[in-house]
Amino acid sequence: MASDSEALQGLYDKHCVQGFKYAYGTAGFRYNADVLDTVMFTTGVLAGLRSIYLGGKTVGVMITASHNPPQDNGVKIVDPRGEMLEKSWESYATELANSASQNFASFQNKLKELLEILKLDLMTPGCVAVARDSRDSGPRLLAAFKTGTEVLANLQVTDHGVLTTPQLHFLTCKTNDLGQGAVIAETLYFKEFLSAWDELTMLCNIQSLPYKIRIDAANGVGAPKVEEMLGARSFFDNTFTVVNGDWKNPPALNHLCGADFVKTNQRLPQGISGDAKQGPHINCSFDGDADRVVFYYVNSVGEFKLLDGDKIATLFAKFFQELLQTAGLRDELQLGTVQTAYANGSSTHYLEKMLGVPVTCTPTGVKHLHHEAVKFDIGIYFEANGHGTIVFSEKVTELVTQKFSDASESKDRHNALQLLLVFSKLINQTVGDAISDMLGVMAVLSILKWTPEQWDNEYTDLPNKLIKVLVPDRTVFKTVNAERQLVSPVGLQQSIDDLVDKFDNARSFVRASGTEDAVRVYAEAATRQKVEELVTMVGQLVE
Ligand code: 16G
Ligand code: ZN
């Protein structure tokens, strides 16, 4: 405890160094691990304050840099329901970190100011749950974080050790649901999703997966977790293989593998070959903290075919629409999808025109998508990069339970109603979760009896390309309309539009990255060659 100045300084001096300027970005603070000690310390303080502010509810903290290279790390705060930290607190987090990065006196003043604005007392009890991914800077940064929590006198800190990001979101939510006294451990996560899987396979009479699955775990924390989880069921015996599972070798993390590598380079990761002798199978890649997943296969003529976040969203949309129809709930429950500007134009067309499912577009970043998805009864959101989930409103459970008690309903209808409930348990609704999404996709494919090709054939992606352009100051690139239009630099959007008009079926947008010092340029067009031309030309306009 550090109510007096000297004790507070003692804690500050243990980890804080001066001079770096921090900003809470799309997914928290994320930088080279060498500069993170100070912000880890202040995040310990801030997470504690957030818990006290919320009446002692448990607030989660995840130490990870997701798909970034091994030398990076980061930290993000998770609110009690498992969702991302509320926006107004992002600025408190940034201000507190930057005050500590100036000197002790500024930190002390900023802390005092926050306590006054928020009307908080450092003596009030609170709870924080923390976990980290497999990076080698994790233990050092965790220690700085824990010292920060000591600034609060009565803060209970639960250290969950090494977890995937979605496990931490899930456990944070469960801790608050189950209340004081409940034993919250990782086993709860495995149990929850495995029981949903058991229920589903029993209900649909699925004895085994239709084909084998190879999981590229990006040499990250997803590897031991998915192995432990699937290993616990004989159902999965001989049906899955983990490749790039070397999570105890931090320099290998995300290197030539993982969801981001596969999506960005549109090619197979290291360790997975397109060899036809493997027998029928599907592949998927997680990212470094297992909150993203993309699928892929190699077709009969040897081409690499990606089944990304858009394909996952459309698969679920089609499936749930049919399920609602069979359950007799199509008019009563609203199904909708949420995408970003990166969604392939063909996927949006398929959802809106072929399926008749509404699509909302939001800026990049899970918090934006999640926020819109909860407005639907069944809200499916996926970024093209594979990050996403499905959220179910309370009305789903209520209506299903109500209909279920009606004995006059047919057997098919009963089954569909039950399936809706089981899916709401199989999906990690708190945040995108590679393991839970993977099981969700495998469940749908097994029920529909679809091969990867059949899934892929629902629509054809427009050729697309994403490039990164380095500019002197990316903050001048300001967008509106869910990042699809630039309002600054003035005139640039008009020039892009004039270019796009010269191409068939084309689209292009430019936005400043929220995680890197660069501007991203995305383009789609009717052919590979045209998309190359367009993206290069728009890139030149931006430079
Ligand atoms: C973060 C976001 C991810 C988004 C990416 C965009 C979360 C948890 N993660 O990793 O969803 O796609 O940023 O990065 O929200 P960019 O702004 O550099 O393009
Ligand atoms: Zn991630």
Side-chain angles (χ1 to χ4, degrees):
M1 113 134 149
S3 45
D4 61 279
S5 190
E6 214 170 291
L8 186 64
Q9 175 138 28
L11 297 176
Y12 172 91
D13 285 342
K14 262 191 181 176
H15 303 278
C16 294
V17 285
Q18 283 136 31
F20 194 80
K21 194 157 183 326
Y22 299 100
Y24 200 96
T26 324
F29 296 105
R30 195 179 289 181
Y31 300 99
N32 185 298
D34 293 347
V35 302
L36 281 169
D37 299 68
T38 312
V39 73
M40 285 293 160
F41 171 79
T42 59
T43 303
V45 180
L46 200 93
L49 293 182
R50 180 81 182 140
S51 169
I52 295 178
Y53 181 80
L54 296 171
K57 291 216 175 90
T58 297
V59 164
V61 171
M62 185 69 201
I63 301 174
T64 177
S66 184
H67 58 280
N68 282 35
Q71 65 275 19
D72 287 0
N73 212 330
V75 62
K76 63 181 165 197
I77 301 178
V78 174
D79 266 350
R81 304 280 330 141
E83 68 280 53
M84 303 291 175
L85 177 67
E86 191 193 284
K87 184 111 191 87
S88 58
W89 277 69
E90 291 183 2
S91 8
Y92 299 147
T94 304
E95 287 164 23
L96 194 64
N98 287 329
S99 71
S101 190
Q102 259 175 349
N103 52 47
F104 173 68
S106 317
F107 166 67
Q108 194 176 25
N109 286 338
K110 183 48 88 182
L111 180 59
K112 195 160 158 266
E113 186 190 311
L114 281 182
L115 292 172
E116 275 164 19
I117 301 175
L118 300 164
K119 300 192 179 50
L120 301 177
D121 181 343
L122 288 178
M123 303 300 286
T124 318
C127 299
V128 168
V130 59
R132 60 189 168 88
D133 71 13
S134 57
R135 286 162 201 270
D136 54 5
S137 56
R140 187 191 90 231
L141 297 176
L142 176 69
F145 169 83
K146 283 187 174 166
T147 304
T149 63
E150 288 172 30
V151 169
L152 293 94
N154 293 303
L155 194 66
Q156 189 188 319
V157 180
T158 307
D159 178 1
H160 286 296
V162 174
L163 290 184
T164 68
T165 294
Q167 282 186 308
L168 186 271
H169 281 253
F170 174 84
L171 291 182
T172 302
C173 180
K174 272 286 164 198
T175 309
N176 291 301
D177 277 353
L178 300 177
Q180 284 290 329
V183 181
I184 303 293
E186 190 185 12
T187 43
L188 202 64
Y189 172 94
F190 294 134
K191 213 171 120 210
E192 177 108 351
F193 295 103
L194 280 174
S195 347
W197 178 261
D198 294 343
E199 228 183 293
L200 187 137
T201 46
M202 201 130 79
L203 186 67
C204 301
N205 198 17
I206 300 170
Q207 314 287 341
S208 62
L209 289 180
Y211 28 82
K212 293 188 178 177
I213 177 157
R214 289 188 294 190
I215 306 165
D216 155 28
N219 292 317
V221 55
K225 304 306 179 187
V226 78
E227 270 173 350
E228 181 172 354
M229 183 155 154
L230 303 192
R233 285 292 181 279
S234 56
F235 181 99
F236 294 107
D237 286 355
N238 307 316
T239 56
F240 78 98
T241 325
V242 173
V243 265
N244 301 317
D246 200 2
W247 67 284
K248 288 190 174 159
N249 176 20
L253 180 69
N254 299 321
H255 182 63
L256 301 177
C257 59
D260 203 59
F261 174 87
V262 171
K263 167 78 183 159
T264 313
N265 299 291
Q266 313 240 350
R267 55 178 265 216
L268 294 170
Q270 179 174 276
I272 291 192
S273 72
D275 191 350
K277 289 197 293 280
Q278 306 277 342
H281 66 272
I282 192 166
N283 310 295
C284 70
S285 284
F286 295 179
D287 72 340
D289 59 338
D291 61 355
R292 284 191 199 178
V293 63
V294 294
F295 291 80
Y296 43 96
Y297 66 100
V298 176
N299 70 10
S300 52
V301 291
E303 286 166 338
F304 167 86
K305 302 289 275 179
L306 182 66
L307 297 155
D308 62 2
D310 298 339
K311 289 277 180 181
I312 299 174
T314 51
L315 176 73
F316 281 136
K318 185 181 168 76
F319 177 76
F320 278 103
Q321 194 180 48
E322 283 173 9
L323 205 55
L324 285 177
Q325 181 75 31
T326 317
L329 289 171
R330 183 125 178 226
D331 296 331
E332 285 154 276
L333 292 175
Q334 213 203 347
L335 171 70
T337 50
V338 188
Q339 299 188 313
T340 70
Y342 289 114
N344 195 278
S346 295
S347 72
T348 315
H349 181 267
Y350 173 84
L351 287 165
E352 287 180 333
K353 303 288 186 288
M354 311 296 281
L355 298 184
V357 172
V359 179
T360 310
C361 186
T362 71
T364 306
V366 169
K367 58 190 172 195
H368 301 294
L369 289 109
H370 193 95
H371 188 74
E372 284 302 315
V374 293
K375 295 182 182 165
F376 295 107
D377 291 311
I378 300 182
I380 301 170
Y381 73 86
F382 275 88
E383 291 190 305
N385 63 25
H387 195 150
T389 186
I390 310 174
V391 283
F392 299 79
S393 73
E394 275 174 22
K395 197 170 156 201
V396 176
T397 324
E398 278 164 25
L399 271 180
V400 167
T401 321
Q402 203 182 348
K403 288 229 164 206
F404 206 65
S405 53
D406 183 351
S408 65
E409 301 283 16
S410 69
K411 187 163 178 290
D412 276 1
R413 193 158 276 194
H414 257 199
N415 257 348
L417 289 166
Q418 250 176 313
L419 254 187
L420 271 174
L421 280 193
V422 178
F423 265 97
S424 72
K425 291 187 249 173
L426 183 65
I427 298 293
N428 185 345
Q429 295 188 46
T430 59
V431 78
D433 182 335
I435 299 179
S436 147
D437 286 342
M438 178 191 77
L439 290 177
V441 165
M442 292 316 289
V444 173
L445 294 176
S446 305
I447 295 168
L448 298 177
K449 299 195 169 56
W450 271 10
T451 60
E453 289 85 349
Q454 279 170 297
W455 172 14
D456 198 17
N457 287 343
E458 284 292 294
Y459 69 85
T460 307
D461 271 329
L462 278 170
N464 60 89
K465 185 147 187 186
L466 177 65
I467 59 165
K468 188 163 85 174
V469 182
L470 298 178
V471 295
D473 179 10
R474 80 187 201 276
T475 60
V476 301
F477 290 81
K478 295 200 171 65
T479 57
V480 291
N481 191 11
E483 301 180 325
R484 289 172 291 189
Q485 275 175 305
L486 280 172
V487 284
S488 158
V490 175
L492 183 52
Q493 186 62 51
Q494 190 55 51
S495 312
I496 298 173
D497 292 347
D498 292 346
L499 256 182
V500 169
D501 277 347
K502 299 193 180 119
F503 291 78
D504 284 339
N505 248 344
R507 186 168 72 93
S508 178
F509 68 88
V510 171
R511 61 176 278 277
S513 158
T515 63
E516 269 185 89
D517 192 7
V519 163
R520 304 208 193 280
V521 176
Y522 176 89
E524 269 174 23
T527 64
R528 288 234 149 266
Q529 196 198 338
K530 289 289 168 196
V531 88
E532 287 290 344
E533 263 177 52
L534 179 59
V535 86
T536 312
M537 287 159 98
V538 177
Q540 283 160 356
L541 288 178
V542 167
E543 269 171 8

